[in-house]
Amino acid sequence: MVDAVHVALAGNPNAGKTTLFNYLTGARQHVGNYPGVTVEKKEGGYLYEGQKIRIVDLPGTYSLTAYSVEELVARDYLVNEQPDVVVNIVDASNLERNLYLSCQFLELGVPLVIALNMIDVAEKRGIRIDTEKLSLLTGVPVVPIIARTGKGVEKLLETVQAVSRADARPQTLIRYGVDIDEALRELVPVIEKHELLIETYPASWTALKILENDEQVVAKIMLKNMDIGQRLIDRSEVLARHLQDTLEAYPETVIADHRYGFVRSILRQGEVTRVTEQDRLYASEQIDKVVTNRVVGPLLMAAVLLGLYSFTFSWSGFLVDWLGMFFDLLGGLTETILPDGPVKSMIVSGVIDGVGGVLGFVPIIMFMFFGIAVLEDSGYLARVAFMMDKIFHFFGLHGSSVMPFIISGGIAGGCAVPGVLAARTLRSPKERMATLLTVPFMNCGAKLPVLTLIIAAFFPNHQARYMFLATLIAWLVALMAAKFLRMTLLRGESTPFVMELPPYRVPTGKGLLIHTWERTWQYVKKAGTVILGISILLWAMMTYPGLPSEKVAEFEAMRQQVAASGSTDGTTALLRIDQLEAGVGLRHSIAGRMGMALEPISRFAGFDWRTNIALVGGFAAKEVIVSTLGTAYSLGAVDSENTTSLKDRLAGDRHWNPIAALAFLAFIMFYSPCFVTVVAIAKEAGSWKWAFFSMGFNTIFAFGMAVGIFQLGTLLGLG
Ligand code: GDP
Ligand code: MG
C-alpha cells in the first residue's frame, strides 16, 4: 500500500479551516500540541478513493513572518514536514486580506490548492468571484466551497488528489519593484552557490526573507556560513538604506506593498466587486476607479504623457542653449589659444565637438528622467503598464514592457541603455528577450538631433507633425518586430498579466532627485568615456593618413599662384583651396575609404560615402551622427560657401532630396543599436549571441526599409 498522502490546511484565522477539517475527518482526529509550544495541533485522516489521506489543521495566521508563534509554527511545519499538498483556505468574503497570505505560500513554493470558502457569505454580500481567472492569475487551482455544508468539497478532494500526484510547485510571479528585484537577483545565485538552506527553502524565498530582515532565517544562515551570511546581510542593508533614501520606507513595507499590489491587480482582473476599509489602500482604490477607467484612463494617460513631453522640452530649453553657448565658447577659445596642428584639430573636432554634442543634450535627458521619476515614484506608471497590457499582450509583450519602452525613448528623448536595464522587471525570459531586442527601435535622445536636423532641412513646414509621426512609427515598428520575434525565434506562451498596483505615494523630493540623478549619470558617464573615445577615434579616422607630400605640394603651389596673381577676391580663392584640400584629404582618410567602399551597396538606399562615414560612426554612438555628418560635409564640400549651416548644405547637396532624407531617417531609426546598448543587451541577455543578432537583424531590416523607400520614391519620381 502507498503511504498516506499528507495534506495541510492553512489560512487566516476564522477562514473555516477547523470547519473543513471536522467535515473531512469526522471522528478520526487527534488533538495535541506542536512540540515545545502551546499551539494546538489537530491531526486526522480520511479516505479518498481507497487512498489514505493524513490531514493537519495548521494554526491560523495572517502572514508568514517570524513575529508570532503561530506564524513560526505554520511555516516551520510547511518546510520541515513538507506536506504533499497545502490547502489554503481563503475566506471569499474577505479576499484581499486572505490572498495576502496566499502570496506568501506562493513565495514559499509549496504545492498549493486554494479552497475558496464561504462563497455563501460572499454571495450574500454581492461579491462575485471568477474562480477560473483567479486560478489563471495565481497559477494554482482554485475550488469554491462552503465548508459548513460540504458543498464543493468533493471537487476539492479531487483537486487535492491531482495536485499530490502532479508534484508541481507553483512559482511566484510577484515583482517587488526595481530595487528589491535587483537585490534578489544578486542574492539568489549566492544562496544557490553556497547551498544555504536550499534543502528546506527555495533560494528566492530565503533571499526575500533576508531582505525582510527575518530573524529566524538570518540566524540560520549565519549558523551555516558566517562569511557569506554577512555578505548577504550587507547587501540587504545597502538596499534598506537606498529604500530609506528614496521612498522613506523599510524593505518589509515595500515588499508588503507589492504583495498587496499583486493581490489588488488580481482582484481587479477577477472582476470582483468588493470594498476595502484600509485607508491608504482604500484611497488608491478610489483613485484607480477613475485613473484606470476604460474611457478616462487612456485620455488621462495621453494628457500625462503629453504633459511630460512639453515639460521636458520647454523647461530644459534654456539650459540646452546655455550649454551650447558654453561649448561654442570653449571651442572658440581653444581655437585661439592652441597652436595649429593635429593636437588642436583633435581637441576641437574630436573632443569638444563630440563630447559637447552629447553633453549638450543632458538637460533634456535630465528633465525627462525627472518627469518619469515622478510618474514612477507616485505609482502612476504602474497604472500605465496596467492599461497598456492588453495592447502589449497582443504583440507578445507584457504590461511591464511599457516602462523600458518609455525610458528608451517611447515619448522621444530617452536612452536604450537604461531602457534595457529596466527590462529586468519582466519575469518571462522570452517576453524579456523580445523587449530587449525591440526597445532600441525607440527614438532615443541621441537620434533626436539627427531627426530634427533632417526634418528641418527637408520638411521645414511640418516639423512637429513629422516628429510625432516618427514617434508613432517607432512604436509601430517595435511592436510589429516584437510580434514577429514572438511568432518565430521567441515563440512561447505569454505569462498571465499580474501587474502590481502598489498604493499611490506622494513622491519625496529626495527620492526623485536620486532617481533622476542615477539615470542621468549613466548618460553623462557614457559621454565622458565611450563617446570621448569614439569621437577621438573617428576624428583620427577622418584625418589620417594625411595626403601624400606631393599632393600637399600641389595645393601649396596653387596657393602661391593665387597670392602671386594679386586678384581682389584672393581670400575666397584661398578658402576654396583649403576646402578642396580638406575634401581630397577626407577621401584619402581611412574613414573616407570605408565610406567609399560601402557606397556601391549604400547607393541603393541613396546614401553617399560621406553619409556612410556618419552612419558607421553612429553605430559607435548615435550622438556622433550629426557632428560626423557636419565634419564630413564641411571637409568634403568642394563648391559651397563655408558659412552655410549643415542643414542648408544637405538641402542643397545633389546627393540629397526628400526621398533620400526619408530613407536616411528610416535607417537611422531602426539600424543596429549603438555599441553601448549592444553591450548592455549582451549583459542582460546573458550571451553575446543575442547582442550580435540585434545588430545584424536591425541593420538588415533598416537597410531593407531604406532601400524600399528610396527605390519606390525614386520610381514614383518623388525625389
Ligand atoms: P478557523 O479559524 O479557520 O479554524 O475557522 P473555523 O473553522 O473555526 O470557522 C470560523 C467560523 O466560520 C465558524 O463560525 C464557522 O461555522 C464559519 N464557517 C466556516 N465555513 C463556512 C462557510 O462555508 N459558510 C459559512 N456561512 N460559515 C462558515
Ligand atoms: Mg480553527
Side-chain angles (χ1 to χ4, degrees):
M1 164 141 184
V2 214
D3 275 353
V5 172
H6 178 184
V7 174
L9 292 182
N12 283 182
N14 290 319
K17 292 181 301 300
T18 308
T19 309
L20 178 66
F21 179 82
N22 289 340
Y23 181 88
L24 288 174
T25 58
R28 294 176 299 266
Q29 48 175 277
H30 162 82
V31 181
N33 273 348
Y34 286 95
V37 288
T38 56
V39 177
E40 185 180 87
K41 181 185 189 188
K42 276 185 152 188
E43 263 192 279
Y46 65 88
L47 280 175
Y48 180 78
E49 292 182 347
Q51 165 75 56
K52 238 170 105 181
I53 315 282
R54 185 162 75 84
I55 183 164
V56 177
D57 184 12
L58 292 180
T61 63
Y62 292 109
S63 182
L64 284 185
T65 48
Y67 290 133
S68 71
V69 189
E70 281 80 8
E71 290 178 0
L72 274 177
V73 167
R75 79 184 207 191
D76 280 349
Y77 188 88
L78 291 179
V79 296
N80 295 334
E81 307 296 327
Q82 310 231 336
D84 298 309
V85 183
V86 176
V87 174
N88 177 201
I89 311 278
V90 163
D91 176 354
S93 66
N94 206 340
L95 259 187
E96 179 156 341
R97 200 183 57 200
N98 277 253
L99 286 178
Y100 181 77
L101 180 65
S102 311
C103 277
Q104 299 181 62
F105 291 134
L106 291 176
E107 287 168 350
L108 198 49
V110 291
L112 202 63
V113 173
I114 291 180
L116 201 54
N117 193 27
M118 308 215 197
I119 46 167
D120 53 333
V121 181
E123 256 161 33
K124 245 183 241 146
R125 294 198 200 157
I127 301 173
R128 277 179 304 113
I129 297 163
D130 185 340
T131 47
E132 263 172 45
K133 197 136 191 192
L134 183 58
S135 166
L136 183 77
L137 295 173
T138 51
V140 298
V142 177
V143 184
I145 62 165
I146 304 176
R148 207 142 67 169
T149 64
K151 189 165 178 247
V153 172
E154 192 59 26
K155 179 84 182 31
L156 176 67
L157 296 183
E158 196 182 297
T159 311
V160 166
Q161 196 66 7
V163 169
S164 76
R165 293 216 185 91
D167 196 32
R169 293 181 157 247
Q171 271 191 323
T172 161
L173 296 163
I174 308 169
R175 287 175 303 267
Y176 306 94
V178 182
D179 293 324
I180 290 175
D181 284 349
E182 168 94 52
L184 285 176
R185 250 192 316 278
E186 284 175 34
L187 295 194
V188 168
V190 179
I191 293 168
E192 278 170 350
K193 183 169 161 232
H194 297 278
E195 304 191 339
L196 294 169
L197 314 181
I198 56 162
E199 61 293 345
T200 38
Y201 308 123
S204 58
W205 190 82
T206 307
L208 196 63
K209 290 294 136 178
I210 292 174
L211 298 182
E212 279 185 317
N213 199 14
D214 182 293
E215 280 174 27
Q216 191 201 27
V217 170
V218 168
K220 278 187 184 171
I221 293 262
M222 288 308 268
L223 216 62
K224 280 247 170 177
N225 190 332
M226 287 278 261
D227 290 343
I228 301 301
Q230 194 53 49
R231 230 174 86 196
L232 297 172
I233 292 165
D234 288 346
R235 177 62 182 90
S236 156
E237 276 165 4
V238 169
L239 171 78
R241 269 196 304 277
H242 184 76
L243 291 179
Q244 203 50 252
D245 284 345
T246 53
L247 301 175
E248 288 176 5
Y250 294 104
E252 304 91 285
T253 320
V254 180
I255 291 171
D257 272 0
H258 278 85
R259 281 191 197 118
Y260 271 117
F262 180 83
V263 170
R264 275 156 41 73
S265 169
I266 286 180
L267 293 183
R268 278 192 70 93
Q269 293 197 48
E271 285 166 350
V272 179
T273 46
R274 118 228 95 100
V275 191
T276 156
E277 302 81 28
Q278 273 167 288
D279 44 4
R280 194 158 61 101
L281 298 174
Y282 180 69
S284 290
E285 180 81 6
Q286 295 309 90
I287 296 173
D288 275 343
K289 278 200 181 129
V290 180
V291 167
T292 63
N293 175 283
R294 240 170 253 261
V295 182
V296 183
L299 288 178
L300 191 71
M301 180 168 74
V304 167
L305 295 185
L306 259 162
L308 174 69
Y309 195 74
S310 68
F311 160 79
T312 303
F313 285 93
S314 56
W315 288 80
S316 62
F318 75 101
L319 279 174
V320 175
D321 291 345
W322 281 4
L323 267 175
M325 263 149 62
F326 170 75
F327 283 109
D328 282 350
L329 218 72
L330 194 69
L333 211 67
T334 323
E335 193 70 67
T336 47
I337 291 175
L338 289 180
D340 278 343
V343 174
K344 171 172 159 178
S345 161
M346 182 189 87
I347 289 180
V348 174
S349 311
V351 179
I352 297 178
D353 276 4
V355 176
V358 179
L359 288 185
F361 228 62
V362 166
I364 296 186
I365 300 281
M366 205 167 71
F367 276 71
M368 188 67 148
F369 281 147
F370 180 80
I372 290 178
V374 172
L375 299 186
E376 192 177 10
D377 290 5
S378 64
Y380 183 69
L381 218 51
R383 273 73 189 178
V384 172
F386 184 86
M387 286 184 280
M388 294 290 278
D389 180 68
K390 276 221 169 63
I391 301 171
F392 271 59
H393 231 73
F394 176 77
F395 291 100
L397 297 170
H398 189 270
S400 315
S401 309
V402 173
M403 188 61 186
F405 274 88
I406 289 179
I407 293 179
S408 300
I411 319 173
C415 175
V417 176
V420 163
L421 298 182
R424 287 184 180 173
T425 48
L426 284 145
R427 281 289 166 87
S428 142
K430 284 181 176 164
E431 285 168 350
R432 182 155 169 247
M433 208 55 237
T435 308
L436 285 183
L437 291 175
T438 47
V439 292
F441 287 143
M442 294 290 109
N443 289 322
C444 72
K447 291 182 203 167
L448 276 192
V450 200
L451 298 187
T452 315
L453 172 80
I454 301 294
I455 290 172
F458 293 97
F459 314 100
N461 299 326
H462 304 287
Q463 294 199 36
R465 213 179 294 172
Y466 273 90
M467 209 60 198
F468 181 69
L469 202 67
T471 308
L472 220 62
I473 292 173
W475 276 93
L476 207 68
V477 168
L479 290 178
M480 306 267 267
K483 180 88 186 164
F484 170 74
L485 288 169
R486 291 287 275 131
M487 279 164 53
T488 52
L489 292 170
L490 297 170
R491 202 169 348 172
E493 284 289 295
S494 8
T495 39
F497 177 61
V498 201
M499 176 80 206
E500 304 84 37
L501 291 180
Y504 288 100
R505 286 170 183 276
V506 178
T508 66
K510 205 171 157 197
L512 292 180
L513 291 182
I514 292 176
H515 280 151
T516 307
W517 177 245
E518 279 173 350
R519 297 212 175 108
T520 308
W521 180 237
Q522 271 180 321
Y523 187 82
V524 173
K525 219 164 56 184
K526 184 175 155 195
T529 53
V530 184
I531 294 182
L532 177 64
I534 292 163
S535 296
I536 293 177
L537 184 75
L538 276 173
W539 164 84
M541 282 169 64
M542 287 164 78
T543 310
Y544 295 106
L547 286 175
S549 49
E550 68 268 16
K551 272 275 183 201
V552 178
E554 250 173 59
F555 282 109
E556 204 42 49
M558 277 163 79
R559 284 195 189 92
Q560 301 286 334
Q561 221 176 337
V562 171
S565 74
S567 77
T568 42
D569 55 0
T571 24
T572 332
L574 280 177
L575 240 157
R576 252 182 211 195
I577 295 171
D578 283 352
Q579 279 174 12
L580 200 59
E581 179 172 11
V584 178
L586 182 63
R587 273 176 196 271
H588 194 75
S589 72
I590 302 175
R593 288 177 209 200
M594 272 167 71
M596 283 191 289
L598 285 172
E599 210 180 51
I601 308 168
S602 71
R603 222 179 34 210
F604 291 108
F607 308 153
D608 74 338
W609 63 279
R610 286 170 299 188
T611 311
N612 291 346
I613 298 178
L615 291 175
V616 172
F619 160 67
K622 304 256 151 91
E623 284 90 342
V624 303
I625 294 179
V626 170
S627 59
T628 313
L629 212 55
T631 317
Y633 269 85
S634 68
L635 289 178
V638 182
D639 46 23
S640 72
E641 300 280 298
N642 202 20
T643 47
T644 47
S645 68
L646 175 61
K647 178 184 83 139
D648 298 330
R649 193 170 287 158
L650 289 181
D653 194 279
R654 68 185 166 83
H655 288 286
W656 285 81
N657 57 49
I659 282 301
L662 273 186
F664 182 66
L665 279 187
F667 191 75
I668 298 278
M669 278 169 65
F670 303 120
Y671 86 121
S672 168
C674 72
F675 175 67
V676 187
T677 305
V678 170
V679 175
I681 291 177
K683 249 184 165 159
E684 292 302 301
S687 92
W688 276 91
K689 193 182 75 182
W690 286 109
F692 286 131
F693 172 80
S694 91
M695 285 163 64
F697 176 78
N698 292 14
T699 306
I700 293 169
F701 171 76
F703 190 66
M705 203 145 147
V707 170
I709 292 174
F710 185 70
Q711 296 298 340
L712 197 73
T714 312
L715 203 75
L716 296 176
L718 297 174

